[in-house]
């Protein structure tokens, strides 16, 4: 959640940055108006409380002196009733403010370019040259079906569209990738954690999926439990409502999970193959750190994911996302896009984001900074999306006869 105190003092800056995220000015006007109204209502409540305290002391003095206190008691009762009404009004305004603020995205970092959509993203680095072939490269679904690695027909039979079954060498390569990614990340100092794939609503609120993106989540019927869209959700919330000692920071974690997304609004996009599935696997990076080390940690996480791709021999590029393409919780994001020769284009395979204190404010994750408590900064990123990495290997390592070479670093994992 954005810092509402800063919204009050830096309103014009917030409006400009949030307009870059396509937030309408009237939403911010309503947010600021409600915030100021709440301050006024709290002041009124505090006035009633001050009167109650003063008259209670006066009552005690009069009672000790044997004076008549009937009129004063009546005044106290009337003030107490007014104080109760004022408290109810404050609670109503707090709820209204929470409902509005919970759907307002994070503001952008100063170095994020202003733009409308992915066409305005900026390429900041290219790693390895795109793979060239002396034959027409096939797309992954052609290769996967001919080799018996991917079975889309049976995936549809089991679950419906946007599901796939991996078989034989395809399934083994997918498992090998997971193990290799975990080991690679662990060598960079990211501790492996294993978390539930079902989480409650408060957990999803903490990282920003609820309430705004409920339509993209799968919910267990009759339960306050949702299937995770990414392990960023449970891993970040491991420290929900905790105060961490500053000496424990940064906390660096990696996690494998299945991920579940309804892909609401993606009808007609990537309908063939494994690019956009309702269920997919991912190895995630999550960091919890101080504000001072936040930017440095983003660079470290991007380097980890990029070096992982390089070790697999996969050409890719670093894209700085513009304001209009940033996610809800992100203040700054670097996407890694891998080259897919079958499609003759780069496609996203990792997204590494700094959310600053946006998630920490929602999830109440703090650290002890001297005598005071302060909000941590949280970061997350894919390292990597397993299915898309499998696709990239299939397309970049394909041979003219339709076979696929296994990257050297993965052979011992096979």
């Amino acid at each position: 959640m954005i810092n509402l105190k800063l919204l009050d003092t830096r309103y014009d800056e917030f409006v400009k940055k949030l307009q870059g995220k396509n937030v309408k000015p009237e939403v911010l006007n309503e947010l600021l108006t409600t915030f100021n109204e709440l301050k006024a209502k709290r002041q009124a409540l505090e006035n009633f409380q001050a009167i109650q305290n003063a008259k209670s002391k006066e009552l005690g003095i009069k009672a000790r002196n044997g004076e008549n206190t009937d009129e004063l008691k009546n005044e106290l009762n009337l003030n107490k009733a007014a104080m109760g009404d004022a408290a109810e009004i404050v609670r109503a305004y707090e709820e209204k403010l929470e409902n509005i603020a919970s759907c307002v995205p994070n503001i952008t970092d100063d170095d994020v370019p202003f733009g409308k959509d992915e066409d305005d993203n900026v390429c900041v680095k290219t790693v390895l040259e795109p793979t060239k072939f002396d034959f027409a490269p096939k797309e992954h679904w052609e290769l996967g079906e001919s080799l018996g690695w991917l079975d889309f027909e049976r995936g549809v039979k089991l679950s419906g569209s946007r599901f796939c079954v991996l078989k034989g060498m395809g399934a083994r390569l997918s498992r090998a990738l997971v193990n290799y990614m975990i080991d690679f990340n662990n060598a960079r100092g990211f501790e492996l954690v294993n978390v539930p794939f079902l989480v409650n609503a408060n957990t999803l609120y903490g990282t920003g999926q609820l309430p705004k993106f409920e339509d993209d989540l799968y919910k267990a019927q009759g339960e306050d439990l949702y299937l995770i869209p990414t392990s960023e959700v449970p891993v970040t919330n491991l420290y929900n409502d905790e105060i961490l000692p500053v000496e424990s920071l940064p906390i660096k974690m990696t996690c494998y999970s299945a991920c579940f997304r309804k892909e609401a609004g993606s009808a007609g996009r990537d309908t063939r193959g494994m690019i956009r599935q309702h269920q997919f696997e991912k190895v995630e990076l999550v960091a919890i750190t101080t504000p001072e080390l936040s930017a440095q940690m983003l660079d470290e996480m991007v380097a980890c994911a990029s070096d992982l791709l390089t070790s697999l021999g996969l050409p890719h590029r670093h894209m700085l996302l513009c304001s209009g393409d940033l996610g809800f919780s992100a203040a700054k994001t670097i996407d890694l896009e891998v080259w897919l020769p079958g499609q003759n284009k780069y496609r996203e395979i990792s997204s590494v984001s700094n959310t600053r204190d946006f998630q920490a404010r929602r999830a109440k994750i703090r650290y002890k900074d001297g005598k005071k408590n302060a909000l941590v900064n949280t970061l997350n990123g894919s390292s990597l999306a397993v299915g898309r990495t499998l696709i990239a290997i299939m397309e970049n390592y394909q041979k003219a006869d339709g076979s696929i070479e296994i990257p050297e670093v993965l052979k011992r994992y096979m």
Side-chain angles (χ1 to χ4, degrees), residues 7 24 31 42 71 73 95 99 122 150 202 266 288 296 330 350 404:
L7 174 68
K24 296 179 179 178
L31 184 65
R42 280 176 174 162
E71 183 178 349
K73 284 181 179 178
E95 184 177 348
N99 290 337
V122 179
L150 308 179
N202 182 62
S266 67
I288 297 175
Q296 178 182 326
S350 174
I404 296 169

Side-chain angles (χ1 to χ4, degrees), residues 149 173 393-394 397-399 403-408 411:
W149 289 18
L173 181 55
I393 289 173
M394 292 172 68
Y397 281 87
Q398 63 181 291
K399 302 297 183 184
S403 63
I404 296 169
E405 183 183 350
I406 302 298
E408 190 64 35
K411 288 181 179 177

